[in-house]
Amino acid sequence: MTDRLPGFSTLAVHAGAQPDPTTGARATPIYQTTSFVFNDADHAASLFGLQAFGNIYTRIGNPTNAVLEERVAALEGGTAGLAVASGHAAQLVVLQQLMKPGDEVIAARKLYGGSINQFTHAFKAFGWNVAWADPDEVSTFEQAVTPHTKAIFIESIANPAGSITDIEAIAAVARKAGVPLIVDNTLASPYLIKPIDHGADIVVHSATKFLGGHGNSLGGIIVDAGTFDWSKDNKYPMLSEPRPEYHGIRIQETFGNFAFAIACRVLGLRDLGPALSPFNAFMILTGIETLPLRMQKHCDNAKAVAEFLSGHPAVSAVNYAGLPSDRYNNLQRKYAPKGAGAVFTFSLKGGYDAGVNLVSNLKLFSHLANVGDTRSLVIHPASTTHSQLDDAAKVKSGAAPDVVRLSIGIEDKEDLIADLDQALRA
Amino acid sequence: MNHDAYDDNYIRSILNSVKSIAMVGASPVNVRPSYFAFKYLAQRGYDMIPVNPGHVGKTLMGKPFVASLADIGRPIDMIDIFRNSSHIMPVVEEALKLSPLPKVIWMQLGARDDAAAEKAEAAGLKVVMNRCPKIEYGRLSSEISWMGVNSRTLSAKRAPIPTQGMRLSLNRTSFGGGQTAASDRAAKNKTETS
Ligand SMILES: Cc1ncc(COP(=O)(O)O)c(C=O)c1O
């Protein structure tokens, strides 16, 4: 029995999975079933009462999904994971454990446009208020803290501009405020950044992106770092107080350092319902097996493309943290030394119209609203993902009208550069 | 002995070697963590004895409650203490009067008393603090993986199908605790500041 830490690639292939108990199948089977039989009435009661490990109903848990959950928890260095239907579902389920009407979450202004919408409109309708802060000015997070603050939410690498967030500095603000730091690690993946090592208490993913990696399945993951003490005051009753839905169980007292993941499952997923299909879990798991290989290729290609664009006469600016001249280059060297990710933006001298033309002239890049695919993708955020923001908010979130966003795939970089070159000349 | 983070081999050797466990503070109320742990450990084949003076005359999973460790009247391998940190020392002192001595003192999740641990270790006992034996057994056997918990173990062997009373293999490859360093660190900081 060895007692050494397996490397990232070993965990990406093995963590959470083992040959199937009944058939010996080596690949994780797709347990495409809604429900699981009980051995007897006592077994059923134990499962419903959270007293036994096991499966009841796929909205609450599923063996295929469980492999994915443990795999991502292991890759992130957390205590437990929970798979849900999408990245947005992960954000919803996480905040439901923390927020009551009138509570506040402080969120980085640089977020995926869909998340800005979710926080601004959908969450607002629940009475969950958001205070926006500037991830480039940590003091704005400090200033936003009030007695109603329940959490801080940031992206490790921010969509769309690929800017790198100073996670440790913001984690210090969260610690001082006594609230958990939630990090959306979608664009970095744990291959590039492990937010828990930098002070995150909860990590969320849109597994739709690099984890799945092939643009074929939606999914979301929540990872519990096991670092936050939910019972030190009465701020988080979902975790610290007796739960009437479970005859008075206290979640943290019972589940210790993976209590948050359990709360998300048995109070969030069970009652809100955004379960992940086991088929999608299987697709995402298969994707994760090659995450380290793909992610490195994504980064290496992205750097080559960013270098090409920054020397191009039609381009006015390239925002890629992997370029030595970039304002985020120091943070990239600290947090993501293996690479700056594959999603970044650049601006065209020809402004909005040149952006629209570029998108239509590209032959290899797909024009669509996703990132983190094997294929290279392009989009004009101002008219799509970020279109619901006003112009000032667009600029603040890194999606000004002349900006084009790329998500660089794992094709041959020479072909990507040639395609961009012909489209910029056309 | 470092009680901030345990080597998996240490926990594994305890759970593989003990057969009888007296649970001090066991509750017959089926939403209490002690009830969960008692039931699970009984299902995994441990010889469980509930100890709680408030419930003498009742049974837990068919096992009669006893008032104190001294009332058990036979050798016990491990004492699992389901009491707050402030109530640990008297239980350890009582355990150290048993003959033969138990081999292990286990303090539940949230419970830690370093002085009591030192006393037990000086008498040759192994000590685990602030852990749940159910969670550790579930983790090392990977049975807890059903709940998406990071078992911090790997295995390329076929998983067992757990049945009533079945002991599971705990002999999987461990990560050596490194992967939840963040959570262990947080627990350590908490004990230092409280
Ligand atoms: C950084 C980030 N977070 C969250 C999401 C939302 O994820 P999903 O589309 O899986 O709900 C996205 C999707 O684009 C994203 O890029």
Side-chain angles (χ1 to χ4, degrees):
Chain A
M1 247 169 292
T2 52
D3 222 22
R4 56 188 291 279
L5 188 59
F8 189 89
S9 299
T10 302
L11 293 179
V13 171
H14 286 280
Q18 74 185 101
D20 186 57
T22 39
T23 62
R26 181 61 268 220
T28 297
I30 304 168
Y31 286 94
Q32 193 72 19
T33 180
T34 55
S35 343
F36 302 84
V37 292
F38 305 119
N39 301 341
D40 50 40
D42 181 59
H43 180 225
S46 306
L47 287 171
F48 276 107
L50 306 180
Q51 293 162 7
F53 308 123
N55 298 293
I56 301 175
Y57 188 66
T58 287
R59 173 154 43 72
I60 306 167
N62 174 282
T64 310
N65 298 23
V67 175
L68 173 62
E69 290 159 352
E70 183 172 359
R71 173 116 7 125
V72 179
L75 292 174
E76 289 285 5
T79 52
L82 178 68
V84 293
S86 67
H88 265 18
Q91 295 168 194
L92 168 66
V93 168
V94 161
L95 287 178
Q96 186 223 0
Q97 308 320 309
L98 308 177
M99 307 277 285
K100 291 190 301 295
D103 286 343
E104 289 167 9
V105 53
I106 303 173
R109 199 170 262 131
K110 285 188 178 158
L111 291 188
Y112 162 57
S115 299
I116 295 177
N117 283 335
Q118 187 190 36
F119 281 65
T120 309
H121 303 294
F123 290 169
K124 179 85 187 170
F126 300 162
W128 303 348
N129 298 319
V130 56
W132 298 106
D134 181 355
D136 301 327
E137 285 294 339
V138 173
S139 62
T140 60
F141 282 83
E142 237 167 327
Q143 288 151 15
V145 173
T146 75
H148 300 291
T149 305
K150 289 293 166 70
I152 296 181
F153 187 97
I154 59 175
E155 289 178 5
S156 54
I157 299 184
N159 192 350
S163 46
I164 313 275
T165 305
D166 190 349
I167 303 171
E168 287 175 12
I170 298 171
V173 176
R175 247 191 324 277
K176 200 167 146 211
V179 302
L181 176 65
I182 307 164
V183 178
D184 179 341
N185 199 30
T186 298
L187 293 201
S189 89
Y191 175 73
L192 294 180
I193 299 180
K194 289 170 62 171
I196 291 172
D197 287 349
H198 302 292
D201 300 297
I202 297 161
V203 174
V204 292
H205 277 277
S206 168
T208 315
K209 318 299 181 203
F210 293 98
L211 291 181
H214 295 70
N216 56 28
S217 304
L218 254 85
I221 311 275
I222 298 161
V223 176
D224 184 353
T227 45
F228 198 84
D229 181 7
W230 306 102
S231 305
K232 68 173 180 292
D233 45 35
N234 55 7
K235 251 167 118 166
Y236 302 100
M238 295 284 265
L239 289 122
S240 64
E241 297 308 306
R243 294 311 309 171
E245 340 31 2
Y246 287 100
H247 309 293
I249 288 178
R250 292 173 200 262
I251 304 279
Q252 181 168 30
E253 177 190 44
T254 307
F255 296 101
N257 68 5
F258 55 90
F260 187 77
I262 295 292
C264 287
R265 182 189 301 279
V266 305
L267 304 177
L269 188 54
R270 187 194 73 158
D271 293 353
L272 297 175
L276 180 69
S277 150
F279 181 79
N280 281 21
F282 173 82
M283 296 303 282
I284 295 163
L285 262 179
T286 304
I288 289 174
E289 293 181 6
T290 56
L291 176 68
L293 302 173
R294 284 185 291 107
M295 210 62 208
Q296 193 60 57
K297 176 90 169 171
H298 277 295
C299 290
D300 296 347
N301 278 358
K303 183 147 194 267
V305 169
E307 281 165 355
F308 162 76
L309 288 172
S310 56
H312 201 283
V315 171
S316 56
V318 177
N319 298 304
Y320 185 63
L323 298 175
S325 58
D326 193 85
R327 67 175 288 196
Y328 297 104
N329 190 246
N330 281 338
L331 287 172
Q332 185 249 316
R333 284 165 195 275
K334 171 172 179 180
Y335 287 104
K338 292 202 280 279
V343 177
F344 65 95
T345 58
F346 65 102
S347 316
L348 291 161
K349 287 182 183 154
Y352 185 96
D353 293 341
V356 172
N357 282 339
L358 171 76
V359 168
S360 71
N361 291 334
L362 283 165
K363 297 191 165 103
L364 208 50
F365 282 75
S366 306
H367 180 204
L368 54 74
N370 191 26
V371 296
D373 194 322
T374 49
R375 287 154 280 261
S376 289
L377 315 173
V378 63
I379 201 165
H380 183 227
S383 59
T384 54
T385 51
H386 289 62
S387 64
Q388 280 159 27
L389 308 182
D390 62 32
D391 276 359
K394 278 177 189 156
V395 172
K396 277 184 180 159
S397 65
D402 60 335
V403 165
V404 173
R405 183 187 74 189
L406 299 179
S407 172
I408 300 297
I410 60 172
E411 303 97 330
D412 289 304
K413 61 177 185 283
E414 295 77 10
D415 296 327
L416 301 177
I417 289 170
D419 191 30
L420 283 163
D421 194 35
Q422 68 77 23
L424 287 167
R425 283 168 201 275
Chain B
M1 182 73 209
N2 171 18
H3 289 287
D4 295 322
Y6 298 103
D7 195 90
D8 279 356
N9 279 330
Y10 180 70
I11 302 287
R12 188 180 281 126
S13 72
I14 289 173
L15 293 175
N16 273 337
S17 62
V18 305
K19 293 188 170 61
S20 52
I21 303 176
M23 186 182 283
V24 177
S27 170
V29 179
N30 71 0
V31 298
R32 298 302 302 151
S34 62
Y35 179 92
F36 285 34
F38 191 96
K39 184 171 175 180
Y40 178 78
L41 295 170
Q43 280 168 348
R44 287 285 151 263
Y46 290 100
D47 171 14
M48 300 298 296
I49 299 122
V51 183
N52 191 330
H55 295 293
V56 174
K58 296 182 205 158
T59 61
L60 186 48
M61 319 249 76
K63 309 285 178 130
F65 275 95
V66 297
S68 68
L69 292 174
D71 291 348
I72 295 173
R74 60 186 171 95
I76 288 297
D77 296 330
M78 175 165 130
I79 317 287
D80 182 10
I81 310 177
F82 257 94
R83 303 296 310 272
N84 292 338
S85 301
S86 57
H87 294 100
I88 299 289
M89 187 59 99
V91 181
V92 170
E93 283 169 347
E94 200 191 336
L96 293 180
K97 289 190 195 124
L98 296 174
S99 173
L101 282 173
K103 300 185 186 81
V104 181
I105 299 284
W106 189 302
M107 304 176 204
Q108 261 303 316
L109 208 51
R112 177 163 178 157
D113 180 336
D114 286 280
E118 230 167 87
K119 221 174 205 177
E121 283 171 339
L125 278 65
K126 286 184 178 171
V127 175
V128 175
M129 298 194 283
N130 190 24
R131 289 286 188 280
C132 171
K134 173 183 176 182
I135 291 172
E136 295 304 306
Y137 194 99
R139 195 172 68 71
L140 294 173
S141 68
S142 89
E143 200 183 0
I144 204 168
S145 299
W146 295 120
M147 302 175 84
V149 172
N150 182 3
S151 70
R152 291 186 278 149
T153 62
L154 299 179
S155 174
K157 299 281 184 285
R158 187 189 284 209
I161 304 171
T163 54
Q164 182 71 28
M166 176 180 161
R167 292 291 282 265
L168 303 177
S169 166
L170 306 182
N171 298 342
R172 297 160 55 88
T173 299
S174 272
F175 298 4
Q179 284 288 297
T180 50
S183 139
D184 287 343
R185 257 196 319 276
K188 179 164 183 279
N189 289 342
K190 194 185 157 199
T191 33
E192 276 169 4
T193 52
S194 63

